[in-house]
Amino acid sequence: DIQMTQFPISLSASVGDRVTFTCRASQNIGNNLNWYQQKPGKAPKLLIYAASSLQSGVPSRFSGSGSGTDFTLTISSLQPEDFATYFCQESYSIPYTFGQGTKLEIK
Amino acid sequence: QLELQESGPGLVQPSETLSLTCTVSGGSLVSTTYYWGWIRQSPGKGLEWIGSIYHSGNTYYNPSLKSRVTISVDTSKSQFSLRLSSVTAADTAVYYCARALIVNYYYCLDVWGKGTTVIVSS
């Protein structure tokens, strides 16, 4: 199985900050990488697919980049509703492994 | 607007079979663009992809669960189902059903149900 490692595990930031999350795959996955946002008690929500394609309805302050093994999700200017946990998922091969998540907290 | 809703027992006895159903409303199960899937989340294992099914019945399973998992579809009822046999406490989790979007061969989970908690305990 492909292993997905996210770092940092947690991140503190303030409204208006620019933040970047990192996800690393254990092997080359091309751009087969998705990002999800999850708030407590809720299901994950798709933000980015194919590493950099913004899902319909997701604000443009979210962007994704990377290919191969290293990927990033950037929020250009944090809004209060963005404090949540963010997960990456490889979609290169079954079992489509998720990362362990990065929790974004208010500073 | 497409909605997915999981249903099934919240408590399952060890060694028994977990059975969940996902009802799809506001859209059709029959589409060339979508698969339908199950994912679970537990504090110990995080998010884990269980498997997906196409409306024709073609299935893809997580190899670590393949010997115990069956996913089926009933297009007449707009439902797809999960069966997980021989459960243990390690199968305790929140179970989600989701729509899997295939875009230019990219796979992602674009619509999720709210999730249902299943506890395995005697």
Side-chain angles (χ1 to χ4, degrees), chain A:
Chain A
D1 296 358
I2 297 171
Q3 305 304 312
M4 305 301 294
T5 303
Q6 291 185 243
F7 48 91
I9 296 296
S10 64
L11 178 60
S12 294
S14 302
V15 173
D17 285 353
R18 178 185 179 91
V19 295
T20 298
F21 308 91
T22 300
C23 178
R24 179 165 292 161
S26 60
Q27 67 182 71
N28 188 337
I29 60 171
N31 61 344
N32 292 277
L33 192 283
N34 306 319
W35 288 98
Y36 301 87
Q37 175 195 67
Q38 187 178 33
K39 297 181 179 178
K42 302 292 187 182
K45 172 188 173 183
L46 178 67
L47 300 175
I48 301 283
Y49 63 93
S52 60
S53 295
L54 191 68
Q55 170 66 353
S56 176
V58 174
S60 59
R61 63 180 180 273
F62 291 91
S63 63
S65 64
S67 66
T69 60
D70 293 327
F71 301 87
T72 59
L73 171 70
T74 298
I75 308 175
S76 60
S77 178
L78 272 175
Q79 299 302 301
E81 61 268 29
D82 298 337
F83 292 94
T85 300
Y86 292 82
F87 295 93
C88 62
Q89 179 201 25
E90 61 86 7
S91 57
Y92 180 80
S93 65
I94 287 171
Y96 299 147
T97 308
F98 289 85
Q100 80 276 29
T102 293
K103 186 174 183 179
L104 178 60
E105 298 174 310
I106 301 173
K107 184 182 287 185

Side-chain angles (χ1 to χ4, degrees), chain A residues 1 31-34 36 38 41-46 48-50 55 87 89 91 94-99, chain B residues 39 41 46-49 52 60-64 96 101 103 105-115:
Chain A
D1 296 358
N31 61 344
N32 292 277
L33 192 283
N34 306 319
Y36 301 87
Q38 187 178 33
K42 302 292 187 182
K45 172 188 173 183
L46 178 67
I48 301 283
Y49 63 93
Q55 170 66 353
F87 295 93
Q89 179 201 25
S91 57
I94 287 171
Y96 299 147
T97 308
F98 289 85
Chain B
I39 305 94
Q41 185 173 29
L47 284 162
E48 182 177 30
W49 181 85
S52 281
Y60 301 88
Y61 297 136
N62 187 324
S64 71
Y96 296 100
L101 172 64
V103 179
Y105 302 103
Y106 295 109
Y107 176 105
C108 59
L109 298 159
D110 71 330
V111 180
W112 294 62
K114 292 180 175 157

